[in-house]
Amino acid sequence: MSRLGTAALALALVLLAVTLAGVGAQGTALEDPDYYGQEIWSREPYYTRQEPEPESFSPLLPAGPGKKWEPRPQEPRPPKKATNPKKVPKRDKSAPEPHLPGKNSNKKGMKTRSSEKAASDDHHVRAAHEDVRESCPPLGLETLKITDFQLHASTAKRYGLGAHRGRLNIQAGINENDFYDGAWCAGRNDLHQWIEVDARRLTRFTGVITQGRNSLWLSDWVTSYKVMVSNDSHTWVTVKNGSGDMIFQGNSEKEIPILNELPVPMVARYIRVNPQSWFDNGSICMRMEILGCPLPDPNNYYHRRNEMTTTDDLDFKHHNYKEMRQLMKVVNEMCPNITRIYNIGKSHQGLKLYAVEISDHPGEHEVGEPEFHYIAGAHGNEVLGRELLLLLVQFLCQEYLARNARIVRLVEETRIHILPSLNPDGYEKAYEGGSELGGWSLGRWTHDGIDINNNFPDLNTLLWEAEDRQNVPRKVPNHYIAIPEWFLSENATVAAETRAVIAWMEKIPFVLGGNLQGGELVVAYPYDLVRSPWKTQEHTPTPDDHVFRWLAYSYASTHRLMTDARRRVCHTEDFQKEEGTVNGASWHTVAGSLNDFSYLHTNCFELSIYVGCDKYPHESQLPEEWENNRESLIVFMEQVHRGIKGLVRDSHGKGIPNAVISVEGVNHDIRTANDGDYWRLLNPGEYVVTAKAEGFTASTKNCMVGYDMGATRCDFTLSKTNMARIREIMEKFGKQPVSLPARRLKLRGRKRRQRG
């Protein structure tokens, strides 16, 4: 019996081992990296779907009765400021690139011993421990990926200072009213106040970035705070520094962001910031961003469904000046037949302003082919537009090589110019600060302190003053208004970058253009300057207001979020009443804007496209932002083929340059290019169009614009006037045409002399 018992016991152990092996194999399958494969991007916004509650997490406790893991005592790290960035070592290209908090995505971390223990307590909030610490990207308070419903606070001074306003870099309204103020502010100033973020899934938290309150009148910021984490929002564990609670150093003023990394990354669902001290003459107010890596959860389909990715094989990273130039070179080598790299001038610091031309005949203007441009980086810290244009250059090259019919047609029928960085000096400053630590304005201006966006000559006032006095003493044209002489002088406060853009736009007959900016999500169309004196906001339309509205809507309506009525406003303005578009002057008045100058001095219709709430998103956000804007960028370029186009020629078939094209009922004309070709953007309809030129008899036609893509051909042949013919004949034979009044006076004088 003993032998049978022994055999039975052995058999039971074998079966148990097999069972455990099967469980282990199942666990291995769940840990297969392919299991966590992301799904292709869904157009349905992430905040429209109900999210199931994550399952409770119970990590294993260390072995031994009654023992807990305690973190090794560490000295608190000094906070990191944007004003004193560290030099970044060169990265090994063969090594994998981690997601990091700074915009440069340089690896920040510290090595820990393998025996280092992570913090844990009875409620199973654990600390992550690795041989090499890896920082995490922002959760998305600034980018609005974290919704208002995920932000909570102990108290709030009023609604406009609630937890939903505690986002990094959020801006207050002009009046700092009850709805749109510049921070979360506690209702009381005591040590029991807190602001909390619900990540809605287990997350490895690695750091906190804080700012003070954005306000013109008040000075409020937190000078120190504690950090706590939880899995159920009821029981909290404070981040420790040895045996005591760790006190993190906060802000010393209200705008410069301060980064504090946790001594040991903490895994939990909730994170809470508990202010401990604040500015003496102020209140508890703060804006913040949380750094964290969401942990994979194969059992939660909601999260896997909403993990954004893209099928485009592009270089999704931030590029400094040298890297941008290298990327352009790579694209040019890939597509030498359709690309050309050139520069339009230099910045104040001597950096060349590089542009990429994309056309089937780069380097030359083809008669009848319209010219289009994108500009980005007029404000150096508005980096998203710069990276979107670099991605667009790569995309157009790749899709052309792949013979994408839509892209091939666009490239062969349009001459496209892309200027990714108009203010490279400012960008280099912002690049050093980083995506989360640059604040709202680091790198905005040129090196000599000029805002390029409103550094162009104010031609609006010249036009409106002439119209008000009914063009007395002289008539001012409604287009091609000359630049004032004072603006052209060397002593004028004009940036080198501004002069370069003006010369560029005068040289190339652009038809349509978009300048990409950041900090909002809207398309603004001219005029940008109010007509009524002393007003800061007033709807001020151009004569082509209906065309501009359509152009703006063509971008906004194809953007993934811009026209979504359910999305949260970026800062203070809700642009949904106009479907994600706005007249610039009705938003805020700006004198000397690029949009107004382009409309009044050239043929180009220019719009400002604000591509995101976050001016400088983290590198990990670039694929999602590309998906948000890709279709819009292409659709907007295609609008250059709307309206009418044609040639204005003389009776011998030679093109007439500088001929004026007028549309009945629209008090704004355009002119032909050097070869006599023109393009006039118009909405569908029937128009009476007149072509006229000095020395020629005017010609008028009815031109029909349809709804299908493609401009209507509307050519003109002008015959010379009788006086022009006489001048031509006389000049041919070396004589000048006779002036009749002078001839009469001469004959009268001769008769008087004969009588005398």
Side-chain angles (χ1 to χ4, degrees):
M1 293 296 292
S2 61
R3 291 182 179 180
L4 292 175
T6 303
L9 179 60
L11 179 60
L13 291 175
V14 170
L15 293 175
L16 178 61
V18 172
T19 304
L20 291 176
V23 174
Q26 183 180 2
T28 303
L30 291 178
E31 294 299 327
D32 184 358
D34 293 338
Y35 188 87
Y36 299 150
Q38 293 177 329
E39 296 194 3
I40 302 304
W41 164 73
S42 170
R43 286 190 61 88
E44 189 176 359
Y46 60 85
Y47 46 78
T48 62
R49 296 181 280 270
Q50 295 296 324
E51 178 182 2
E53 291 292 322
E55 297 180 3
S56 60
F57 173 69
S58 299
L60 294 176
L61 293 175
K67 292 184 179 179
K68 296 182 180 179
W69 284 357
E70 294 293 342
R72 176 170 56 85
Q74 299 182 30
E75 294 298 325
R77 292 186 167 198
K80 299 183 180 181
K81 295 186 179 182
T83 54
N84 188 22
K86 294 182 178 180
K87 295 294 183 180
V88 179
K90 293 184 178 179
R91 181 181 59 216
D92 182 3
K93 294 183 179 180
S94 63
E97 296 184 9
H99 298 292
L100 302 169
K103 97 137 219 48
N104 303 337
S105 287
N106 299 312
K107 186 170 184 178
K108 295 180 181 178
M110 65 177 186
K111 294 184 179 180
T112 60
R113 297 178 182 178
S114 60
S115 60
E116 181 174 289
K117 305 299 182 180
S120 178
D121 77 336
D122 293 333
H123 303 281
H124 311 309
V125 176
R126 68 175 182 177
H129 58 288
E130 300 173 336
D131 289 340
V132 178
R133 172 168 174 170
E134 178 182 312
S135 296
C136 292
L139 290 186
L141 275 76
E142 184 175 7
T143 61
L144 306 183
K145 190 173 183 179
I146 296 294
T147 68
D148 288 350
F149 299 105
Q150 294 175 256
L151 299 173
H152 309 280
S154 53
T155 59
K157 190 169 291 187
R158 49 187 168 83
Y159 177 78
L161 294 169
H164 64 291
R165 302 296 295 177
R167 302 172 180 270
L168 191 71
N169 286 323
I170 202 165
Q171 301 296 294
I174 297 176
N175 301 319
E176 300 185 21
N177 56 35
D178 187 47
F179 291 99
Y180 303 113
D181 219 318
W184 161 69
C185 289
R188 299 184 299 273
N189 291 335
D190 58 46
L191 299 179
H192 303 292
Q193 305 306 308
W194 47 263
I195 182 171
E196 169 189 316
V197 178
D198 176 7
R200 288 186 174 172
R201 63 190 295 184
L202 289 174
T203 302
R204 185 196 301 115
F205 297 114
T206 62
V208 178
I209 303 173
T210 59
Q211 275 177 314
R213 177 180 178 179
N214 175 250
S215 173
L216 293 174
W217 324 110
L218 301 173
S219 298
D220 299 318
W221 61 83
V222 171
T223 56
S224 67
Y225 57 89
K226 293 181 182 179
V227 175
M228 297 177 284
V229 292
S230 173
N231 277 337
D232 57 10
S233 78
H234 297 293
T235 305
W236 294 85
V237 175
T238 304
V239 174
K240 302 290 184 180
N241 177 27
S243 59
D245 295 346
M246 185 167 182
I247 304 296
F248 294 92
Q249 182 181 342
N251 299 83
S252 57
E253 58 89 66
K254 56 188 176 182
E255 288 299 335
I256 299 178
I258 299 296
L259 165 64
N260 279 293
E261 292 183 321
L262 304 186
V264 178
M266 305 294 289
V267 173
R269 169 174 169 172
Y270 301 87
I271 186 168
R272 178 179 287 185
V273 174
N274 171 217
Q276 296 296 296
S277 61
W278 45 93
F279 182 55
D280 291 341
N281 298 323
S283 303
I284 296 178
C285 295
M286 65 189 311
R287 296 172 285 170
M288 68 177 187
E289 180 63 86
I290 303 297
L291 306 183
C293 297
L295 299 183
D297 184 1
N299 297 319
N300 195 328
Y301 177 70
Y302 171 85
H303 295 305
R304 291 187 289 116
R305 183 182 181 188
N306 285 276
E307 289 173 347
M308 174 68 69
T309 186
T310 179
T311 59
D312 296 327
D313 183 18
L314 307 176
D315 189 19
F316 292 104
K317 67 182 293 289
H318 288 292
H319 300 80
N320 60 23
Y321 182 80
K322 183 178 179 180
E323 292 168 338
M324 178 189 73
R325 179 67 182 88
Q326 180 63 30
L327 178 62
M328 290 180 175
K329 183 179 179 181
V330 170
V331 172
N332 180 242
E333 291 172 351
M334 287 179 58
C335 300
N337 295 329
I338 63 167
T339 61
R340 178 176 72 98
I341 303 172
Y342 66 100
N343 72 82
I344 68 169
K346 292 184 178 180
S347 69
H348 185 272
Q349 290 288 87
L351 298 178
K352 292 182 179 180
L353 308 178
Y354 284 111
V356 178
E357 176 191 343
I358 302 177
S359 171
D360 58 341
H361 292 87
E364 62 178 279
H365 170 73
E366 298 180 69
V367 176
E369 186 170 283
E371 310 247 4
F372 175 93
H373 74 249
Y374 271 130
I375 299 174
H379 295 147
N381 64 330
E382 294 172 4
V383 176
L384 179 55
R386 168 192 175 112
E387 296 304 330
L388 287 175
L389 293 190
L390 292 177
L391 292 169
L392 179 63
V393 169
Q394 301 172 62
F395 178 79
L396 293 176
C397 173
Q398 291 182 5
E399 294 301 304
Y400 185 86
L401 294 177
R403 307 310 294 172
N404 180 322
R406 181 186 185 190
I407 300 303
V408 170
R409 181 171 59 253
L410 181 64
V411 171
E412 292 181 349
E413 297 179 358
T414 318
R415 192 181 181 202
I416 303 167
H417 303 258
I418 296 178
L419 179 64
S421 186
L422 180 56
N423 181 9
D425 297 346
Y427 174 81
E428 292 303 305
K429 292 181 182 178
Y431 184 84
E432 292 177 0
S435 62
E436 316 308 322
L437 303 180
W440 188 249
S441 59
L442 179 65
R444 175 184 176 91
W445 299 278
T446 63
H447 188 268
D448 48 345
I450 296 176
D451 187 338
I452 298 177
N453 196 47
N454 56 358
N455 191 225
F456 294 85
D458 175 15
L459 305 181
N460 306 57
T461 302
L462 295 177
L463 174 64
W464 294 336
E465 287 180 350
E467 291 177 348
D468 291 341
R469 63 174 182 263
Q470 298 181 347
N471 290 307
V472 177
R474 62 184 181 85
K475 185 175 182 179
V476 174
N478 62 13
H479 68 292
Y480 271 56
I481 300 175
I483 298 175
E485 293 184 6
W486 66 265
F487 188 89
L488 301 175
S489 67
E490 295 182 358
N491 297 327
T493 307
V494 181
E497 297 85 348
T498 305
R499 295 187 188 277
V501 170
I502 291 176
W504 185 48
M505 299 186 72
E506 290 178 337
K507 180 180 179 181
I508 300 176
F510 291 117
V511 179
L512 177 62
N515 57 89
L516 273 57
Q517 301 189 44
E520 264 297 350
L521 205 55
V522 68
V523 181
Y525 55 88
Y527 289 122
D528 290 329
L529 180 65
V530 297
R531 183 160 186 169
S532 300
W534 312 113
K535 286 190 176 182
T536 58
Q537 292 177 314
E538 181 185 48
H539 183 74
T540 310
T542 65
D544 286 288
D545 188 57
H546 293 293
V547 177
F548 275 113
R549 284 175 178 269
W550 166 254
L551 293 172
Y553 184 70
S554 70
Y555 193 100
S557 62
T558 51
H559 189 278
R560 179 170 168 259
L561 298 175
M562 204 172 282
T563 56
D564 192 336
R566 296 164 295 181
R567 75 172 181 87
R568 184 197 185 283
V569 299
C570 290
H571 299 282
T572 62
E573 302 286 344
D574 185 1
F575 299 106
Q576 293 308 312
K577 58 185 177 182
E578 293 188 43
E579 297 290 338
T581 68
V582 67
N583 173 257
S586 67
W587 182 12
H588 56 260
T589 184
V590 175
S593 73
L594 173 59
N595 293 349
D596 290 2
F597 169 79
S598 178
Y599 182 69
L600 295 176
H601 185 67
T602 73
N603 288 339
C604 185
F605 284 33
E606 186 90 17
L607 291 85
S608 293
I609 303 170
Y610 293 80
V611 291
C613 302
D614 189 350
K615 292 182 177 182
Y616 202 154
H618 186 266
E619 198 166 87
S620 62
Q621 293 294 317
L622 293 180
E624 181 173 354
E625 294 294 353
W626 168 246
E627 291 292 341
N628 288 343
N629 289 274
R630 179 183 57 189
E631 180 66 16
S632 303
L633 290 168
I634 298 171
V635 167
F636 188 72
M637 286 191 289
E638 292 173 335
Q639 303 312 305
V640 75
H641 295 284
R642 284 198 175 275
I644 60 175
K645 67 177 182 179
L647 283 168
V648 179
R649 293 172 286 197
D650 60 17
S651 56
H652 301 290
K654 182 180 179 181
I656 302 175
N658 216 33
V660 177
I661 306 296
S662 302
V663 177
E664 186 178 276
V666 181
N667 188 27
H668 182 79
D669 304 333
I670 57 114
R671 300 200 181 198
T672 58
N674 292 334
D675 298 306
D677 47 348
Y678 77 92
W679 308 263
R680 183 50 162 103
L681 297 177
L682 292 169
N683 285 341
E686 185 174 356
Y687 299 91
V688 178
V689 184
T690 301
K692 53 188 176 182
E694 185 177 354
F696 293 87
T697 304
S699 175
T700 301
K701 284 186 176 182
N702 289 337
C703 302
M704 176 69 71
V705 178
Y707 287 90
D708 295 334
M709 184 61 66
T712 301
R713 190 69 183 255
C714 203
D715 296 329
F716 294 89
T717 299
L718 305 184
S719 58
K720 291 187 177 181
T721 62
N722 291 334
M723 183 58 69
R725 291 174 180 171
I726 292 173
R727 287 197 182 99
E728 186 178 282
I729 294 172
M730 299 295 287
E731 289 176 358
K732 184 177 181 181
F733 294 99
K735 296 181 180 181
Q736 297 295 325
V738 177
S739 175
L740 294 180
R743 179 67 175 169
R744 293 193 188 99
L745 290 174
K746 191 174 183 179
L747 290 174
R748 289 174 185 173
R750 184 180 297 176
K751 289 180 180 180
R752 290 193 191 98
R753 286 194 297 273
Q754 290 176 352
R755 291 173 184 172

